[in-house]
Amino acid sequence: MTASGIDLYQFTRAELSDLIAGWGFSRVHAARLWNYLYWEQAESIEAMADLPAKVKGKLLAETRLGVLPVSLATDSSDGYTRKFLLALPDGLQIETVRMHFTGRTTACISSQAGCAMGCVFCATGQRGFSRHLTAGEVVSQVVHVARLLKRAGEPRLRNLVVMGMGEPLHNYEATLRAMEIVSDGAGIALGAERITISTVGVVPGILRLAEENQPYSLAVSLHAATQSERAALVPAARAWPLDQLMEACRTYSTRTGRRIFYEWTLIEGKNDGVEHAHAVGALLRGLPAQVNLIPLNPTEGYSGVPGRTSAAKVFQQVLAEHYQLPSTVRQRRGIDIAAGCGQLAGAARDAAAGSVVGAD
Ligand code: SAH
Ligand code: SF4
């Protein structure tokens, strides 16, 4: 193996220990290495000063540290959102977003370069699919945000949403492996319940999460309560029709005992009416659920208009009063730098509107 060897970010703690032990070194060095990766958030193998030279030499020869260089960092005028364009080793680019809310910071990470699902209102979908990210590339995004917070003396990262570019359940193995690594209590230590995986509704993936009783929160992007309306917005609904999706959600909640967050992008005149609220209320009846309403963010390839604030309020009222369904309206963040939900396209041009803070 060459210097461009295996990415250290792709190993779980146990695997890293086995790797080091397999080379004939003490497992103590593996623990130290893990600390460098996830406590110190070291930027290179060379910077791991306390590792013996022979261990470091072997690491340099056989592995690499998959830090993803920042091509561009852009701040939103909202003062809370920073978007990073990160370069993958093969020249593709992905986006990671850091959002400050009162008292907490959330990282929004990508699971794929592009997306194959083709949702009509989503910039990632409009761009098409390039490739799956490796587990290491998913982990590296989280480490990037954690490192920034640490270097700035800010409280550690507490929340993670896999809601950036791509469909995480289309890249199940790598995404779930990455979640195991970043939730490891001896490292980045994100609480599993503070990690949310958002899916367009990949039925086999939802069933697998249920079967494996994965501890993470699950969000399902619904957007419509009938098969025909949904298929018009979300082409993946043709592969996994609404009735099968709802059945999978029911199985998931029964097996795991957890509620699902159902996401609903509000598009004026399409799915933001009282009748739509009743339809989703009826669809989710009896299921442990919360509805997250997301006003549509503008993208180049879709001419729809965001649902009005007043429509969102009425929508919420209907859900609460008739169906006892809790709901929230997603705070809009980073729209000027195209860092909002569904606006990530992995392109540098979006930065034009915000203030470029360079590649830090
Ligand atoms: N592929 C996954 C996760 C990434 S998309 C999924 O689809 O769930 C994250 C969320 O952004 C989804 O709920 C998606 O429906 C929503 N979204 C996509 N495009 C949007 C847009 N233009 N405006 C608002 N929300 C959007
Ligand atoms: Fe892919 Fe999600 Fe965008 Fe649909 S909304 S195209 S599934 S990233």
Side-chain angles (χ1 to χ4, degrees):
M1 218 166 298
T2 65
S4 62
I6 331 164
D7 182 359
L8 288 172
Y9 286 137
Q10 74 163 46
F11 293 110
T12 63
R13 190 150 49 96
E15 289 169 348
L16 205 58
S17 186
D18 288 347
L19 181 78
I20 297 292
W23 287 339
F25 300 128
S26 159
R27 289 185 191 268
V28 169
H29 301 313
R32 232 178 245 157
L33 172 59
W34 178 268
N35 285 349
Y36 271 122
L37 294 176
Y38 299 112
W39 275 100
E40 306 282 327
Q41 289 121 23
E43 271 147 276
S44 67
I45 296 171
E46 289 86 347
M48 301 179 183
D50 274 354
L51 283 182
K54 54 186 181 186
V55 177
K56 218 192 262 189
K58 187 78 171 156
L59 285 172
L60 285 167
E62 308 268 336
T63 71
R64 68 192 171 89
L65 185 56
V67 172
L68 301 174
V70 179
S71 306
L72 194 67
T74 327
D75 273 337
S76 166
S77 58
D78 69 17
Y80 301 102
T81 312
R82 181 175 286 189
K83 181 169 86 165
F84 301 94
L85 191 62
L86 302 177
L88 301 174
D90 57 1
L92 290 168
Q93 309 206 84
I94 51 163
E95 293 181 322
T96 300
V97 183
R98 184 223 61 196
M99 294 168 284
H100 286 313
F101 295 93
T102 334
R104 68 192 158 97
T105 298
T106 297
C108 175
I109 58 161
S110 298
S111 55
Q112 298 176 317
C115 184
M117 300 296 150
C119 302
V120 296
F121 46 72
C122 172
T124 314
Q126 290 157 14
R127 194 196 97 151
F129 179 69
S130 298
R131 70 165 170 87
H132 294 305
L133 297 189
T134 64
E137 288 164 345
V138 177
V139 169
S140 186
Q141 297 172 68
V142 184
V143 175
H144 173 70
V145 177
R147 185 189 290 124
L148 290 174
L149 294 175
K150 185 163 181 156
R151 304 285 190 264
E154 291 175 28
R156 72 180 180 87
L157 184 64
R158 297 284 296 278
N159 296 279
L160 179 67
V161 292
V162 190
M163 289 189 188
M165 295 165 67
E167 169 48 49
L169 299 188
H170 183 212
N171 187 16
Y172 189 97
E173 302 278 347
T175 303
L176 271 289
R177 163 178 279 271
M179 295 309 106
E180 184 184 343
I181 295 167
V182 299
S183 61
D184 187 312
I188 302 263
L190 280 161
E193 68 293 344
R194 291 173 180 273
I195 294 178
T196 303
I197 297 176
S198 176
T199 178
V200 71
V202 177
V203 167
I206 295 171
L207 293 174
R208 189 165 166 196
L209 288 174
E211 205 164 289
E212 296 172 358
N213 199 11
Q214 293 287 353
Y216 313 107
S217 296
L218 179 64
V220 170
S221 298
L222 206 52
H223 312 308
T226 67
Q227 170 61 12
S228 60
E229 283 174 327
R230 191 161 186 272
L233 296 170
V234 178
R238 291 178 209 139
W240 300 294
L242 189 60
D243 52 349
Q244 286 178 27
L245 173 60
M246 296 320 298
E247 198 45 51
C249 290
R250 194 172 299 282
T251 304
Y252 176 91
S253 285
T254 309
R255 290 246 178 106
T256 64
R258 277 196 299 275
R259 75 178 163 175
I260 292 178
F261 298 93
Y262 292 91
E263 295 171 282
W264 192 276
T265 295
L266 282 169
I267 309 168
E268 192 179 43
K270 268 230 156 35
N271 66 357
D272 68 340
V274 171
E275 68 279 21
H276 300 108
H278 279 289
V280 69
L283 186 72
L284 298 179
R285 208 193 300 267
L287 285 169
Q290 176 174 317
V291 177
N292 290 345
L293 302 168
I294 317 171
L296 179 76
N297 293 318
T299 58
E300 233 165 57
Y302 186 64
S303 58
V305 173
R308 289 170 198 275
T309 312
S310 53
K313 281 207 177 106
V314 174
F315 207 101
Q316 286 192 286
Q317 260 166 18
V318 171
L319 294 181
E321 284 167 20
H322 294 265
Y323 305 93
Q324 290 72 52
L325 258 179
S327 64
T328 58
V329 180
R330 178 85 45 86
Q331 291 177 48
R332 299 186 86 198
R333 284 286 168 83
I335 307 307
D336 56 336
I337 55 165
C341 288
Q343 293 187 303
L344 304 181
R349 69 184 152 72
D350 300 331
S355 57
V356 174
V357 292
D360 64 346

